[in-house]
Amino acid sequence: MAEPVPDSASTQWPDSGAEVSLQPVARLVYASISQVDGPVLQEMRRIRDQALPRNEADGLKVALLHIRGWFVEWIEGPEQAIEALLSRVDRDHRHHSLRVLHRSVGQPRLFRPWIGAIVQSDESMVDVARRVLDLQHRHEADRLPEPASVWLSLCSPPAEAMRSPIGAFPRIMLLSAAGSTAFDLTSWVARETGQPLIRRRFAGAADDAPDVESDYVDLPDIGPAGVRLIANARKGLAMGMTHAFLPDYAAVLVLLGEDDSRNQRLLARLLSACRQVHHVPLIIGAGHGMAIGADLQSLVEKQGYPWQAVDLGSARAGLSATWQAVAPALAMLGREDTAATRPAG
Ligand SMILES: Cc1cc2nc3c(=O)[nH]c(=O)nc-3n(C[C@H](O)[C@H](O)[C@H](O)COP(=O)(O)O)c2cc1C
């Protein structure tokens, strides 16, 4: 049996300075209906143990997701190896009705050889089926350019009130240096604005992977195209899944705490992850006077990342005051005159 590859917070950090390659690769996403009887997590681990040695030998990297009775697999690597894997997987009785939703050549995103995740959502299998059919149709008509957009459209489609599709509005990662303020603020904003809060739990499909939660809310009235605010757990920063989606974030809003060394550690981990995937988001640091001092600014800017400080005034600013202070910065994202992202040089 292959050595399990961890996809977890216990992973050595950073990954020996490795970076995702800039060489274009073939990319494919398919969806299929799961036939797994019994615990999905165990079957995902069996699939991983079968897949890892074969995929590594063939130069393939994959992310396999299970959501509401559906498998979604995102594969990157040499085109011939992808096609060989596809025909092997298509014969597997653990699923059926496999549909290719995306084929392209472009920048690789998958950093680890294997990412496995089970998304718990309260939707029905039919809701997901509707989106699979829609994406299949789009694949045949005007296809989405990135596998990440296909994956997100399937698993985390925009709220009805959003005026634009995935990829057209900025995504903002929310992290807190201490406690669960990122999650508290996201829930508070959802309640205040009347927008649905979507809770996603990712059961890590490696033996030592923890469950990680990531909640989000779509805010159609912020900025020209609306924004999505996504609360991430700090331990989630070490996960392959977070790496794969980092390049889709226009900005990372860090809610700083009173402990300066914790703030510095979190920012160092964040920048290290961004560097590994060659992505340069705007880093917004929100804290009270001392926390947003020159030290953090120079830590971030020295590494070539744009920094914006938001002063929360009082050390004990509540959620309402925090939101009042950060919302204007978020509203600027996505405006043409504020290029929030640029390729890493
Ligand atoms: C949803 C799903 C995803 C899979 N992903 C892979 C994979 O990425 N790589 C792989 O080698 N096998 C994967 N498998 C297992 C293959 O279908 C197949 O059982 C395995 O490669 C052994 O093939 P063989 O018996 O022809 O040697 C997957 C199976 C399922 C059900």
Side-chain angles (χ1 to χ4, degrees):
M1 199 161 92
E3 273 296 298
V5 167
D7 176 18
S8 74
S10 61
T11 309
Q12 287 288 313
W13 188 267
D15 272 13
S16 54
E19 291 179 354
V20 87
S21 157
L22 288 170
Q23 291 299 316
V25 289
R27 303 148 343 151
L28 183 142
V29 180
Y30 74 77
S32 58
I33 298 176
S34 165
Q35 287 271 80
V36 173
D37 290 328
V40 176
L41 187 58
Q42 273 175 29
E43 198 56 57
M44 294 272 284
R45 287 176 178 165
R46 262 196 290 275
I47 294 174
R48 177 203 58 195
D49 290 342
Q50 283 180 314
L52 261 176
R54 304 276 297 248
N55 290 0
E56 283 195 304
D58 293 341
L60 295 173
K61 294 200 167 105
V62 303
L64 179 63
L65 173 79
H66 191 277
I67 176 169
R68 283 277 144 211
W70 287 85
F71 279 119
V72 183
E73 191 164 37
W74 167 0
I75 314 168
E76 292 183 351
E79 197 174 340
Q80 278 186 343
I82 293 183
E83 295 306 326
L85 172 59
L86 195 64
S87 51
R88 203 162 73 239
V89 164
D90 198 22
R91 294 192 299 268
D92 198 307
H93 295 299
R94 287 169 287 185
H95 63 171
H96 64 87
S97 309
L98 186 154
R99 294 150 202 270
V100 173
L101 304 180
H102 179 83
R103 264 195 177 93
S104 64
V105 173
Q107 160 110 35
R109 284 281 195 98
L110 302 178
F111 183 66
R112 298 182 196 282
W114 173 267
I115 299 171
I118 299 170
V119 175
Q120 284 145 21
S121 99
D122 48 18
E123 295 180 299
S124 74
M125 198 179 171
V126 176
D127 291 328
V128 182
R130 216 172 279 129
R131 296 202 293 272
V132 170
L133 290 179
D134 181 47
L135 280 164
Q136 191 182 8
H137 173 72
R138 287 186 72 175
H139 174 55
E140 284 149 16
D142 65 310
R143 66 192 168 122
L144 289 167
E146 286 292 322
S149 305
V150 175
W151 179 287
L152 289 174
S153 305
L154 201 51
C155 307
S156 320
E160 265 172 36
M162 293 296 272
R163 297 179 297 279
S164 36
I166 290 283
F169 53 84
R171 290 159 45 84
I172 300 150
M173 183 191 289
L174 192 48
L175 286 170
S176 47
S180 59
T181 334
F183 287 86
D184 300 343
L185 184 62
T186 308
S187 312
W188 183 89
V189 171
R191 251 192 336 272
E192 274 304 291
T193 56
Q195 294 299 324
L197 176 75
I198 311 292
R199 288 214 148 94
R200 290 278 191 247
R201 266 195 99 69
F202 295 91
D207 297 329
D208 59 349
D211 282 6
V212 169
E213 189 168 333
S214 162
D215 297 350
Y216 69 85
V217 59
D218 283 342
L219 301 169
D221 298 330
I222 302 239
V227 299
R228 175 171 289 183
L229 202 57
I230 303 143
N232 259 40
R234 288 180 293 281
K235 64 182 174 186
L237 266 185
M239 295 182 82
M241 189 70 93
T242 312
H243 273 103
F245 288 101
L246 251 181
D248 282 328
Y249 287 97
V252 182
L253 169 58
V254 184
L255 299 171
L256 302 162
E258 289 175 39
D259 180 340
D260 202 38
S261 60
R262 275 188 91 123
N263 293 338
Q264 300 230 10
R265 262 201 317 275
L266 179 63
L267 279 168
R269 286 179 63 181
L270 171 65
L271 298 187
S272 160
C274 290
R275 214 170 24 255
Q276 288 178 311
V277 297
H278 314 283
H279 181 55
V280 185
L282 171 67
I283 312 288
I284 305 173
H288 69 96
M290 293 299 283
I292 49 170
D295 283 1
L296 287 187
Q297 174 167 3
S298 76
L299 172 85
V300 172
E301 287 183 346
K302 254 195 208 143
Q303 297 191 42
Y305 292 82
W307 164 259
Q308 185 175 349
V310 174
D311 192 348
L312 298 181
S314 151
R316 306 217 178 282
L319 295 175
S320 169
T322 301
W323 182 242
Q324 297 302 322
V326 298
L330 306 187
M332 293 307 289
L333 297 168
R335 292 194 189 278
E336 298 216 333
D337 50 343
T338 54
T341 54
R342 60 193 155 89

